[in-house]
Amino acid sequence: MICRAESPGVERFARAHEDQLRVVGLGTQDDLESARDFVTDGGITFTMLWDESFDSWIQLDIRGQPAALLFDADGTPLGAWNGIFDEDEVIDLIEA
């Protein structure tokens, strides 16, 4: 599962930059029990949301996993990535 492979890096990123941004994960692919196990087993400390309907994917124009979106504090989109995002690019957008 791609999320299990990527989550340790996302967790490190979230912890390293918690003073600059808030990471929110979005679970949709598995059942809720599996999603809870993912959070517990992975030691996830960032916020995880669950949407079994996939409505969030439609609203956010997510077309596959992994995907990442960056919003400012007002909810204005700043960037989007399909595939693994470049951490340096995220930081550059935040600092701009």
Side-chain angles (χ1 to χ4, degrees), residues 20 70 72 78 88-96:
Q20 296 172 292
L70 180 65
D72 69 11
L78 299 175
D88 293 332
E89 187 176 342
V90 174
I91 297 303
D92 288 346
L93 283 170
I94 291 168
E95 292 175 347

Side-chain angles (χ1 to χ4, degrees), residues 60-63 66-71 76-86 89-90 93:
L60 297 169
D61 197 28
I62 297 171
R63 298 170 191 246
L69 304 143
L70 180 65
F71 298 90
T76 303
L78 299 175
W81 298 263
N82 288 312
I84 297 171
F85 67 88
D86 182 326
E89 187 176 342
V90 174
L93 283 170

Side-chain angles (χ1 to χ4, degrees), residues 32-54:
L32 183 55
E33 184 177 339
S34 296
R36 286 182 176 140
D37 290 344
F38 170 77
V39 170
T40 301
D41 296 346
I44 303 298
T45 62
F46 55 85
T47 301
M48 283 294 299
L49 303 176
W50 170 250
D51 174 19
E52 65 185 337
S53 71
F54 281 87

Side-chain angles (χ1 to χ4, degrees), residues 5-19:
E6 189 178 42
S7 65
V10 174
E11 178 66 27
R12 282 190 301 276
F13 180 80
R15 287 183 186 202
H17 301 287
E18 63 188 357
D19 60 328

